[in-house]
Structures are given as structure tokens and as C-alpha cells.
Amino acid sequence: MSGITYEDFLDLSYTPTETDLVCTFRIAPADGMSMEAAASRVASESSNGTWAALHIDDTFTDMGATTFAIDGDTIKVAYPAGLFEAGNMPQVLSCIAGNIMGMKAVDTIRLEDCEWPEAIVSGYRGPQFGSGVRSEIFGVEDRPILATVPKPKVGLSTAKHAEVGYEAWVGGVDLLKDDENLTDQPFNPFSDRLTESLAMRDKAQDETGEVKSYLVNVTAETNEMLERADEVASQGNEYVMVDVVTCGWAAVQTLRERCEELGLAIHAHRAMHAAFDRLPDHGVSMRVLAQVSRLCGVDQLHTGTAGLGKLANEDTVGINEWLRSDLYGMTDVLPTASGGLHPGLVPALMDATGTNMCIQVGGGIHGHPEGTRAGAAAFRQAVDATVAGVPMDEYAADHAELATALEKWGTETPR
Ligand SMILES: O=C(O)[C@@](O)(COP(=O)(O)O)[C@H](O)[C@H](O)COP(=O)(O)O
Ligand SMILES: [Mg+2]
């Protein structure tokens, strides 16, 4: 009979194997706690250890993690792949972002990054389409796809919602998008909204000759969400939208399975992400939430505006690079920039994020002095000018809608 203690989880000579999941944390040890002691407790409490020395025998399968690097306030922990159930994201997060977030041994702890081995990635479906949605759905190669959320975000009637969608589609956007808190409320019920919006979509497609689609929000109790996805597919739409953080990763994985059968793309809104990633010293970074989203199979994900918009966000460019990076052949994810954007910010945004993007503009379209259709036209014109490499004010000279938007908002970041 032997024992395991906290000290067993610290080995600075350990070299991770190619099947280990490696996590990077930043920690602030509690008063009187050394960095080494705190680091060993992170590995222990997030794998198979606890505070008391434990008795084990040779029937025990040791799936303990190892802190193998300490650099200032940053530690690296290696987890054996066998600790994790294949394809079970909630179980992974219960390890690497579970109890350790509340340990007294540290004042703060932040999960900054994960290096995912093929041994774990292979257990996840990943995205069905990823950035391929641009060409596969819209036949677009050289520009971002453009989306808009009707504003006010909730409270519009179904008829008004669909009409705003029509105006925006005809004005030049590709995607109508529900807001994250619009689901199936009596003033705008899900089924009616879906049917009436798709009718307007068809009308706009006929008039513009362009493919149009709808990011319809199916967020709900999981079984209900599946029924809504079935309805979306039966009515011939290409997408569902889901609030991935508030729904939870188990529900996202379940929805992903259904969307595989239905051939639906998944647009992921990240409402509540800031509860995890806003504080620089504690929580779970947006980079890790983005990694989890890709493994769970979303095709599009909000990743911020590279600091240009109204919302605080971190490392948009770095996160987008990871979402596009090779991951053992897993499909990529199309990043979505959204939040306080308007036509005047498009050149700087595309300079930072490139064209392999989805860009959402809500207030920056519906707040246009001449209304939604003109606002959408101004947005499209800003993107067309940027893709063509034409300065905005030069392009605005013979594009009135853009000129009006620049006059109203300039290139300011709203606060
Ligand atoms: O409700 C809103 O604020 C938005 O619809 C943007 O509206 P506007 O275009 O009118 O600003 C989006 O939900 C946020 O962009 C989400 O944030 P993020 O993309 O950072 O996850
Ligand atoms: Mg919103």
C-alpha cells in the first residue's frame, strides 16, 4: 500500500507525452503558499488528488496530472488522455476548470490556453462546414459574409422583424440574425418568426439574385432545441444559432449531432462569456472557450472586434488564428466580429481580421438616418470599398448611403 500527496503532482523534469493535454494557467498563490505548493495543488485537485494523503494499491489506475513548468505566475500542467472520457466536454471542463477555480490555495487562477492532443481531439466531431459556409452557402470567396440583428433586440412583432430582415437583405446583407435573448416570446413567437422571415428571405433572394439566410436562435431546453432545429430544416433554412455558454456544452454537443443529420450550420453566440474571461487574473480565457466551441462543432463563433467595437474583448486576432489553424484535420471555424460596429469601422476591422470572416452590424445599420435598407447598403458599400482597396471617402463620393453613415458616425468606436 503506498500513498499520494500534493507533492506527487509537481515534477519539473517531466516531459509531456504526445497524448497529454497541456494546460497553461496563471495563478496567484495565497498568502504563505509557495508557487510550487500552489502549482502542485492545481494539478492534484484538477485530476485525481485531494488535500489528505491517500492510500492506494496496485489496482489503482493513476490518472494524475503533473505540473511540469513554472515561469513567474504561469504554470503548465500535463493531463494524461486517459483521465478524460472520449467526446465528453463537460467532463473535461470539470477537470481543468472545475474545483480549482475555487481553491483557497490560490487567490486567483486563470485557465489561459490548452494544447489539445490528437488522442482527445479525435473524440470530437468538430464543425461541419466552418469557413466553408461562405462559398458553400453564399458562393462568396473574396469578402466577409454580412449579418444584421434587428434592433431593438427584442420587442419587435414578428411582421416587423421579418420586414426589417427583408429591408436589410435587399440593402445588401447576407444574413438576418436573431439577438441572443430572442427565442420564443409571445410578442415574436419562434415558429411564426421562422416562417415569416423565410418568406421575406425568398422574396429578397428573388429580387437581388443573391443567396440569403437566417441565423435563427433555437436556444432553449435541449429537447425543445432539437425540435426547433428540425423545424428550421423542414422549412429549408441553412442555419441555427445557439447561445453556447448559457446552453452549456452538453447541449451544444447534442445539437451538433442533430445538425449533422439535418445538414444545418451552427452559429454560436457567446453571451455570458465575459463572466468567465473578463477578469485578466481569474477564470477561463476566451481563447479556451473558442477551442472548446470548435471541438463541440460550431461553424461560426463571435470572437470580438479587435478592440474596435463597444464590448471589451481579448486577443481577437490570436483566437481567430487558432480557429483557422490546422487541428489534425478538424474543420475550422468562421470568426464573427460584432458589437458596436458601423460602416466607418469596416476598413480597420478587416485590416485586423481579414476577409475570411462574418461581420455583424446591428445598431450601425438600423440607426442609419435613412433606415435599415440604406444602413445595410452603407455596410455593404464599406465592405466592397475595402475589398477593392478604395479609400472610404472616395467610395462615399458616389455612394450616398455610405456618405451619410460616415457623416453620422465617422470612424469612432461607440461607448
Ligand atoms: O446585442 C448586441 O450587443 C449584439 O447583437 C451587437 O449589437 P450591435 O451591432 O447593435 O452592437 C451582439 O449580441 C454582441 O455583439 C455580442 O457580443 P460579442 O460579439 O462580443 O460576443
Ligand atoms: Mg446581441
Side-chain angles (χ1 to χ4, degrees):
M1 180 81 81
S2 62
I4 51 173
T5 65
Y6 277 149
E7 287 64 41
D8 296 320
F9 295 86
L10 177 69
D11 179 357
L12 299 179
S13 67
Y14 177 78
T15 302
T17 70
E18 65 176 23
T19 60
D20 285 348
L21 168 64
V22 172
C23 293
T24 301
F25 296 91
R26 279 191 312 109
I27 64 173
D31 272 354
M33 177 77 64
S34 70
M35 193 64 185
E36 287 71 18
S40 65
R41 282 157 176 72
V42 171
S44 166
E45 297 282 355
S46 59
S47 59
N48 64 2
T50 190
W51 61 276
L54 302 172
H55 310 296
I56 51 168
D57 61 25
D58 54 17
T59 64
F60 175 63
T61 305
D62 187 0
M63 284 299 143
T66 305
T67 295
F68 66 94
I70 297 178
D71 179 10
D73 63 358
T74 300
I75 69 171
K76 284 185 178 278
V77 180
Y79 298 84
L83 173 64
F84 307 111
E85 176 191 348
N88 184 340
M89 188 55 74
Q91 188 261 344
V92 172
L93 294 170
S94 293
C95 295
I96 65 175
N99 295 354
I100 53 175
M101 292 292 159
M103 280 188 323
K104 286 182 180 173
V106 293
D107 288 339
T108 59
I109 176 169
R110 194 172 200 258
L111 174 57
E112 293 288 355
D113 196 7
C114 299
E115 294 153 48
W116 301 86
E118 186 166 15
I120 292 177
V121 170
S122 58
Y124 293 87
R125 264 203 191 281
Q128 191 174 180
F129 305 99
S131 65
V133 290
R134 291 197 304 156
S135 54
E136 289 171 41
I137 296 178
F138 300 96
V140 165
E141 305 278 356
D142 64 347
R143 67 169 174 81
I145 52 176
L146 314 184
T148 190
V149 176
K151 301 284 178 176
K153 46 203 303 172
V154 292
L156 296 179
S157 67
T158 300
K160 188 67 187 172
H161 181 99
E163 181 199 320
V164 169
Y166 169 74
E167 290 295 315
W169 276 315
V170 171
V173 306
D174 306 294
L175 284 159
L176 175 65
K177 175 187 173 301
D178 286 345
D179 231 314
E180 70 279 358
N181 55 355
L182 178 63
T183 54
D184 187 29
Q185 292 101 320
F187 54 79
N188 195 351
F190 176 82
S191 296
D192 298 349
R193 184 170 76 249
L194 177 64
T195 304
E196 292 185 32
S197 298
L198 289 181
M200 284 300 186
R201 182 272 292 265
D202 297 345
K203 185 166 181 278
Q205 286 193 150
D206 292 346
E207 290 174 19
T208 62
E210 291 186 340
V211 173
K212 306 291 182 180
S213 193
Y214 180 21
L215 304 175
V216 57
N217 191 0
V218 297
T219 299
E221 178 274 328
T222 308
N223 293 317
E224 175 59 32
M225 199 155 58
L226 299 183
E227 284 179 24
R228 290 178 188 179
D230 293 345
E231 195 178 340
V232 168
S234 71
Q235 296 209 23
N237 193 40
E238 294 81 7
Y239 280 94
V240 293
M241 165 182 151
V242 59
D243 300 342
V244 289
V245 177
T246 57
C247 265
W249 305 107
V252 174
Q253 290 188 268
T254 305
L255 179 66
R256 172 66 181 89
E257 292 307 308
R258 180 59 60 90
C259 287
E260 181 73 20
E261 296 160 25
L262 298 170
L264 290 175
I266 300 173
H267 177 87
H269 195 288
R270 58 179 182 167
M272 198 175 159
H273 74 95
F276 290 94
D277 62 33
R278 179 79 188 264
L279 297 182
D281 297 323
H282 187 80
V284 178
S285 71
M286 181 58 209
R287 183 179 179 84
V288 171
L289 295 177
Q291 295 171 349
V292 167
S293 301
R294 184 178 181 182
L295 269 66
C296 290
V298 308
D299 297 287
Q300 300 181 180
L301 175 69
H302 289 239
T303 61
T305 60
L308 291 162
K310 69 181 185 186
L311 297 161
N313 43 60
E314 58 176 314
D315 192 20
T316 297
V317 173
I319 293 169
N320 292 1
E321 276 166 12
W322 190 90
L323 290 174
R324 295 176 180 134
S325 66
D326 176 49
L327 189 66
Y328 314 107
M330 180 176 273
T331 305
D332 66 353
V333 174
L334 185 71
T336 298
S338 171
L341 297 174
H342 57 80
L345 290 172
V346 165
L349 177 72
M350 288 172 61
D351 188 44
T353 64
T355 57
N356 189 12
M357 291 286 295
C358 173
I359 305 177
Q360 191 290 129
V361 173
I365 280 180
H366 309 294
H368 190 282
E370 290 140 29
T372 294
R373 187 182 298 209
F379 176 28
R380 179 69 175 263
Q381 291 161 4
V383 170
D384 292 345
T386 306
V387 168
V390 180
M392 294 284 276
D393 48 8
E394 190 182 314
Y395 203 80
D398 46 23
H399 292 85
E401 296 89 348
L402 179 57
T404 303
L406 294 176
E407 201 179 307
K408 181 167 178 68
W409 293 306
T411 57
E412 298 303 306
T413 289
R415 294 177 58 88

